[in-house]
Amino acid sequence: MSLARASLCRSVFEAPIAFELKLDRIIPVGGDHLVLGIVERVQVDSSANAGNYKMAGELWKPLESMAGNYAGLASTFSIDPRNRQE
């Protein structure tokens, strides 16, 4: 039995990772709105996989839509979990 399902959702062809969302709610914030969705499906191309269940962010250059403008991830960093303050 295959768990894959055909998706009728539009996505950017070149995007190695795509999320299909279902609208959850729209919350008025000041004179604008915060739109929240529930992830229904994720499509991941093998080129975005860094191994060990990690994504290679520096390779797939994530992009986000923000009120008609777009933003990208400037740089990646990591935090040593042993140095966290509780």
Side-chain angles (χ1 to χ4, degrees):
M1 176 172 92
S2 172
L3 296 178
R5 289 189 256 169
S7 175
L8 300 176
C9 183
R10 293 184 198 147
S11 63
V12 177
F13 180 74
E14 295 86 359
I17 299 177
F19 296 92
E20 181 179 335
L21 302 175
K22 177 175 78 174
L23 179 63
D24 181 50
R25 69 189 94 167
I26 301 174
I27 302 170
V29 179
D32 221 323
H33 297 85
L34 173 64
V35 180
L36 302 176
I38 298 170
V39 176
E40 294 282 311
R41 291 184 185 89
V42 179
Q43 297 176 351
V44 180
D45 187 86
S46 61
S47 66
N49 189 349
N52 200 22
Y53 303 100
K54 295 180 181 179
M55 295 289 106
E58 66 280 354
L59 298 178
W60 57 274
K61 297 182 176 70
L63 181 69
E64 59 184 273
S65 172
M66 300 180 63
N69 296 317
Y70 293 91
L73 184 63
S75 63
T76 59
F77 62 92
S78 62
I79 299 173
D80 186 342
R82 296 172 294 185
N83 294 335
R84 284 191 298 176
Q85 296 179 0
E86 299 293 326

